[in-house]
């Protein structure tokens, strides 16, 4: 029987397999950042172990860094100590690091692809659940915890039990104004936050093939929000074109060899998935979340649901709790929900294409009075690229803030936070209680919806703009 | 790591589903660079409410958490496991755990025992009727016992073996260093290097 894409990549990385034990899988690329690594480096030090392959490891500073005054020392002493720990650890163990101020610095999941380090068929891990992003290239990429970070640093491998595979077929043409973010929010609403648990999702179908690499990354990024550890898309010409010419991409004969191999990375016709989900792209519309987990989403044209819509008691309690936290009344049209802050950024939607979409909408328009618009590029390079295209000026003239690269308000670890009760429309990936700051209320949206919302002051799509 | 064979203690009912890692330990606590002292951040937003289960006098000293479905969703932060352990929890029971959280727990020695939601509901009822009830989670027998209730739980075979033996994963893998070196010889030359 044939193999799925995920099974092929898995198979090509098995170092050792034995009955009754997990497979030992080789890791091609290990991305490291300041938050989930200090205890891992400490563990190595305690056991007197080196980093096995510093040349397959790369670190950057993203989660816990400021996005203003980046040339000054970090003001918060606790944050500063963590960033300094990363710098000391990388120097001591020989791991390359892109620090604040370096042109390659940025959110790990933006940096890897942009440098050409993320390539088809690789195994990629990082102490961050959104490592699934790299699956857009046909890599098997997933988040790991700090103990596993230590394990990979020490051995360049991980013991893993095989995943099940799920096909997500998105066929048909996406309607105008509907983006990759809307696809994935619809997928999560359909299968639920636990629906992908234990699976690698493979996104397939004409609507997926039609996406740019940026769009594919947005889709794979949020696989974790569907409960899956990884999401993948088979590489094709779009993938090869994106990788070619990047700093770490192969050249000459090696490029040809690589492409020949990459072309074998697809799910065989006679392979079987453990589960299949079909989505008709032509029925999709701009999607927003109303609740406190990413599965609590609806089309923008819908209304806030009622606990009476619940399928069971657990669901009823979850809806009641979410409505209370979000301060929403059942039956309110989502379009009437007034928003205080718009955040455009994160590893989900902080790439150049996302900023172009937002700038296109904000061009010649103003942010609604009293609202805050914060635009945070995913990496220093994205920032430079955007500035060379004049996008920063569009955001500034509209009344927005233009920041340095990092995770920023996606997780509110640095000073970029919501205040209690403040409501955001955010292009990030998590709407958990307090995710963007204690008491903050988050609606997950696409860049187009975010920018439109900044103009009108309530959840809106470009179609709502005069 | 200490071997984990069975554990007996009192339990707290957490009647919530989709308890994500941002609730277990919010991002502001992730700035620390040690593995201990995270108990103050555990469920910190909820603990501001004096009625929250862990604030109630009858649930002081608990070591078993009985939670709703989809426990541990969200980020990969292992701090969630440390926070639960630092607070004093040895076991979490739920009908469904998020994958990464479950993996992290196994590494850190926190047992995540998966039982049917009906068992969770029974346990909630039993504990709420008598918060001093002793609950025994027997990893060797894969059972949870409380009062008249005995139920089997699911745990990965390999994780169970490692916990029972108290083995360190890295030590196990390093025994296969030769196989790793052989694999490295076979890697294609076009595979990228970071430096
Ligand atoms: S942008 Fe947000 S989701 Fe992405 S890595 Fe940073 S904190 Fe995590």
């Amino acid at each position: 029987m044939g193999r799925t894409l995920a099974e092929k990549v898995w198979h090509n990385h098995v170092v050792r397999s034995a009955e009754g034990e997990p497979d030992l899988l080789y890791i091609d690329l290990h991305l490291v950042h300041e938050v989930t690594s200090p205890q891992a480096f400490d563990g190595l030090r305690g056991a007197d172990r080196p980093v096995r392959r510093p040349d397959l490891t790369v670190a950057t500073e993203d989660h816990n860094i400021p996005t203003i005054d980046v040339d000054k020392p970090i003001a918060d002493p606790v944050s500063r100590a963590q960033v300094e720990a990363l710098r000391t650890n990388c120097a001591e163990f020989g791991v390359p690091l892109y620090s604040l101020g370096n042109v390659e610095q940025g959110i790990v999941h933006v940096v890897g692809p942009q440098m050409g380090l993320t390539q088809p068929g690789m195994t990629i891990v990082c102490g961050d659940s959104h490592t699934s992003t790299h699956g857009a290239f046909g890599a098997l990429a997933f988040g790991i915890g700090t103990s596993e970070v230590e394990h990979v640093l020490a051995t360049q491998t991980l013991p893993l039990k095989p995943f099940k595979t799920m096909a997500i077929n998105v066929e048909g043409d996406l309607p105008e104004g509907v983006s990759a973010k809307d696809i994935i929010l619809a997928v999560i609403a359909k299968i639920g936050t636990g629906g992908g648990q234990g699976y690698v999702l493979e996104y397939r179908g004409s609507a997926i093939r039609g996406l740019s690499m940026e769009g594919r990354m947005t889709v794979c990024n949020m696989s974790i929000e569907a409960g899956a550890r990884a999401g993948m898309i088979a590489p094709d010409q779009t993938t090869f074109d994106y990788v070619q010419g990047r700093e770490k991409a192969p050249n000459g004969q090696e490029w040809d060899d690589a492409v020949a191999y990459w072309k074998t990375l697809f799910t065989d016709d006679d392979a079987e998935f453990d589960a299949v989900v079909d989505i008709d792209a032509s029925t999709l519309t701009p999607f927003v979340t109303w609740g406190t987990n990413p599965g609590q989403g609806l089309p923008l044209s819908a209304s806030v649901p009622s606990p009476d819509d619940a399928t069971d008691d657990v669901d009823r309690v979850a809806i009641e709790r979410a409505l209370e936290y979000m301060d929403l009344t059942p039956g309110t049209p989502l379009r009437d929900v007034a928003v205080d802050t718009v955040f455009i950024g994160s590893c989900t939607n902080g790439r150049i294409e996302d900023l172009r979409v937002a700038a296109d909408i904000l061009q010649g328009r103003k942010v609604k009075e009293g609202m805050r618009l914060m635009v945070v590029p995913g990496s220093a390079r994205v920032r430079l690229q955007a500035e060379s295209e004049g996008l920063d000026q569009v955001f500034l003239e509209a009344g927005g803030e233009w920041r340095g690269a990092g995770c920023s308000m996606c997780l509110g670890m640095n000073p970029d936070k919501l205040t209690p009760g403040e409501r955001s429309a955010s292009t990030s990936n998590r709407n958990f209680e307090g995710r963007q700051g204690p008491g903050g209320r988050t609606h997950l949206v696409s860049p187009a919806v975010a920018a439109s919302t900044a103009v009108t002051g309530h959840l809106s799509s470009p179609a709502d703009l005069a | 790591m200490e071997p984990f064979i069975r554990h007996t203690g009192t339990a707290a009912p957490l009647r919530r589903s989709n308890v994500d890692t941002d609730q277990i330990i919010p991002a502001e606590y992730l700035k620390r660079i040690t593995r201990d002292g995270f108990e103050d951040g555990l469920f910190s937003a909820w603990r501001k409410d004096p009625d929250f289960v862990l604030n109630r006098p009858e649930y002081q000293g608990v070591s078993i958490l009985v939670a709703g479905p989809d426990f541990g969703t969200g980020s990969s932060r292992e701090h969630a496991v440390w926070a639960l352990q630092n607070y004093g929890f040895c076991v979490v029971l739920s009908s469904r755990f998020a994958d990464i959280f479950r993996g992290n727990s196994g590494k850190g020695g926190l047992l995540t025992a998966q039982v049917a939601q009906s068992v969770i509901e029974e346990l909630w009822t039993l504990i709420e009727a008598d918060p001093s009830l002793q609950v025994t989670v027997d990893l060797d027998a894969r059972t949870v016992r409380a009062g008249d209730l005995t139920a089997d739980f699911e745990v990965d075979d390999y994780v169970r073996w490692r916990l029972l033996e108290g083995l360190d994963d890295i030590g196990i893998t390093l025994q296969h260093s030769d196989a790793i070196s052989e694999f490295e010889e076979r890697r294609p030359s076009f595979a990228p290097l970071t430096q």
Side-chain angles (χ1 to χ4, degrees):
Chain A
M1 199 176 72
R3 286 196 169 110
T4 62
L5 169 61
E7 287 160 356
K8 285 182 182 176
V9 178
W10 181 285
H11 179 79
N12 290 341
H13 288 85
V14 176
V15 170
R16 179 180 177 276
S17 93
E19 187 62 31
E21 291 179 40
D23 285 353
L24 191 63
L25 225 61
Y26 198 81
I27 302 303
D28 291 320
L29 177 65
H30 185 189
L31 304 159
V32 173
H33 63 87
E34 72 276 22
V35 176
T36 53
S37 66
Q39 295 87 352
F41 282 111
D42 263 359
L44 290 184
R45 215 175 272 119
D48 203 15
R49 288 170 176 151
V51 171
R52 183 182 175 96
R53 294 295 302 265
D55 58 339
L56 301 183
T57 312
V58 66
T60 185
E61 299 164 2
D62 55 3
H63 282 66
N64 192 7
I65 50 157
T67 54
I68 42 172
D69 296 335
V70 296
D71 49 340
K72 306 210 180 80
I74 300 175
D76 172 7
V78 190
S79 296
R80 188 167 67 230
Q82 189 173 59
V83 171
E84 273 164 11
L86 180 70
R87 293 176 185 173
T88 316
N89 288 329
C90 286
E92 180 181 338
F93 288 91
V95 171
L97 165 68
Y98 299 114
S99 280
L100 212 53
N102 187 296
V103 66
E104 300 297 352
Q105 176 268 337
I107 305 173
V108 269
H109 311 311
V110 179
V111 169
Q114 158 185 294
M115 292 188 78
L117 281 170
T118 302
Q119 296 174 18
M122 293 172 68
T123 45
I124 301 177
V125 298
C126 173
D128 184 282
S129 56
H130 289 100
T131 311
S132 58
T133 311
H134 308 262
F137 292 77
L140 181 60
F142 48 90
I144 56 179
T146 298
S147 296
E148 290 170 305
V149 170
E150 184 180 338
H151 196 285
V152 177
L153 288 173
T155 70
Q156 204 57 36
T157 63
L158 267 184
L160 287 169
K161 301 254 289 190
F163 303 110
K164 291 178 285 181
T165 56
M166 182 186 291
I168 310 268
N169 297 315
V170 191
E171 293 286 357
D173 294 327
L174 279 183
E176 179 75 24
V178 178
S179 70
K181 183 69 166 277
D182 304 305
I183 296 182
I184 188 62
L185 287 173
V187 168
I188 299 164
K190 178 160 177 152
I191 72 174
T193 52
Q197 202 217 354
Y199 291 95
V200 171
L201 310 183
E202 184 184 331
Y203 303 96
R204 301 154 59 82
S206 56
I208 299 294
R209 284 195 300 278
L211 292 176
S212 66
M213 284 317 292
E214 277 92 346
R216 294 179 189 188
M217 285 189 254
T218 301
V219 170
C220 288
N221 174 275
M222 290 191 71
S223 302
I224 184 79
E225 273 65 47
R229 237 176 133 170
M232 298 177 87
I233 294 171
D236 59 12
Q237 198 57 45
T238 304
T239 322
F240 309 150
D241 290 347
Y242 182 95
V243 174
Q244 190 164 30
R246 291 185 186 263
E247 188 190 333
K248 301 291 186 184
N251 291 311
Q253 184 60 43
E254 293 207 321
W255 171 260
D256 295 339
D257 293 347
V259 172
Y261 169 58
W262 296 345
K263 286 187 171 164
T264 67
L265 300 173
F266 55 86
T267 292
D268 295 326
D269 286 341
D270 57 343
E272 272 180 34
F273 289 95
D274 298 301
V276 177
V277 171
D278 291 303
I279 290 186
D280 179 354
S282 66
T283 62
L284 295 178
T285 59
F287 225 80
V288 300
T289 63
W290 53 267
T292 54
N293 74 58
Q296 291 176 323
L298 282 170
L300 177 60
S301 54
S303 298
V304 175
S306 152
D308 298 337
D309 305 336
T311 45
D312 57 41
D313 278 355
V314 173
D315 194 29
R316 163 181 277 274
V317 174
I319 295 177
E320 280 169 357
R321 204 179 281 286
L323 292 180
E324 189 191 327
Y325 183 85
M326 294 296 288
D327 191 26
L328 292 173
T329 313
T332 311
L334 287 166
R335 277 199 159 84
D336 290 353
V337 174
V339 168
D340 307 303
T341 288
V342 169
F343 172 68
I344 299 176
S346 87
C347 61
T348 313
N349 285 124
R351 283 172 283 268
I352 188 69
E353 186 177 275
D354 303 310
L355 302 189
R356 286 183 191 137
V357 167
D360 203 40
I361 290 165
L362 287 163
Q363 178 82 51
R365 294 195 167 99
K366 289 276 179 219
V367 172
K368 170 121 176 154
E369 208 170 295
M371 274 188 79
R372 168 165 69 146
L373 165 68
M374 195 189 243
V375 187
V376 182
S379 70
R381 278 207 190 276
V382 169
R383 183 181 156 98
L384 290 176
Q385 175 71 28
E387 288 176 356
S388 77
E389 296 177 20
L391 307 186
D392 57 325
Q393 289 310 315
V394 175
F395 297 126
L396 290 168
E397 276 161 26
E401 295 171 44
W402 176 243
R403 297 296 191 95
C407 295
S408 177
M409 199 187 270
C410 174
L411 88 166
M413 210 173 155
N414 74 354
D416 310 342
K417 285 191 188 47
L418 295 179
T419 52
E422 194 176 349
R423 186 183 300 279
S424 80
S426 174
T427 66
S428 56
N429 45 46
R430 289 191 171 141
N431 52 343
F432 300 151
E433 293 180 17
R435 167 76 177 185
Q436 297 189 290
R441 301 178 174 130
T442 303
H443 296 273
L444 300 177
V445 300
S446 70
V449 169
S452 309
T453 300
V455 174
T456 63
H458 47 87
L459 294 174
S460 307
S461 71
D464 300 325
L465 300 179
Chain B
M1 216 157 67
E2 291 286 308
F4 185 124
I5 296 168
R6 64 186 62 80
H7 173 82
T8 300
T10 52
L14 185 65
R15 285 185 175 267
R16 297 186 191 227
S17 59
N18 260 298
V19 175
D20 58 74
T21 50
D22 278 78
Q23 306 316 317
I24 300 175
I25 183 95
E28 60 194 274
Y29 290 91
L30 309 190
K31 298 179 183 181
R32 299 183 187 164
I33 56 178
T34 58
R35 273 181 199 256
D36 33 45
F38 287 98
E39 62 275 14
D40 52 339
L42 180 72
F43 301 129
S44 75
W46 295 342
R47 268 159 77 193
K48 293 194 184 108
D49 170 4
D51 285 337
F52 180 63
V53 57
L54 294 185
N55 288 336
R56 302 224 294 268
E58 62 271 32
Y59 294 114
Q60 299 312 303
V62 289
S63 58
I64 299 169
L65 186 66
V66 185
D70 292 316
F71 188 86
T73 53
S75 86
S76 65
R77 59 187 71 158
E78 201 156 324
H79 312 68
V81 174
W82 303 332
L84 286 159
Q85 289 181 314
N86 293 164
Y87 185 86
F89 285 111
C90 301
V91 182
V92 183
L93 289 151
S94 170
S95 64
R96 200 158 58 196
F97 292 96
D99 287 338
I100 301 183
F101 174 79
R102 204 161 195 210
N104 288 343
S105 300
K107 314 263 173 214
L110 175 74
L111 175 61
T112 52
Q114 187 169 321
V115 296
Q117 180 61 24
S118 58
V119 173
I120 297 287
E121 310 264 352
E122 275 187 74
L123 283 167
W124 282 343
T125 311
L126 284 169
I127 304 163
E128 282 166 0
D130 176 11
S132 70
L133 183 72
Q134 294 289 311
V135 178
T136 296
V137 180
D138 189 330
L139 180 58
D140 200 25
R142 297 181 202 244
T143 57
V144 50
R145 295 192 301 273
D148 292 337
L149 172 83
T150 300
D152 293 336
F153 65 78
E154 275 175 52
V155 60
D156 179 79
D157 287 337
Y158 184 74
V159 171
R160 172 172 170 271
W161 169 73
R162 274 188 40 251
L163 288 176
L164 286 172
E165 303 285 329
L167 287 175
D168 152 46
D169 248 359
I170 298 180
I172 301 174
T173 297
L174 285 174
Q175 292 168 4
H176 307 301
S177 293
D178 290 351
I180 301 173
S181 300
E182 278 162 36
F183 184 92
E184 284 175 331
E185 300 284 318
R186 301 199 301 272
R187 294 182 73 232
S189 62
F190 56 75
L193 300 176
T194 58
Q195 59 183 8

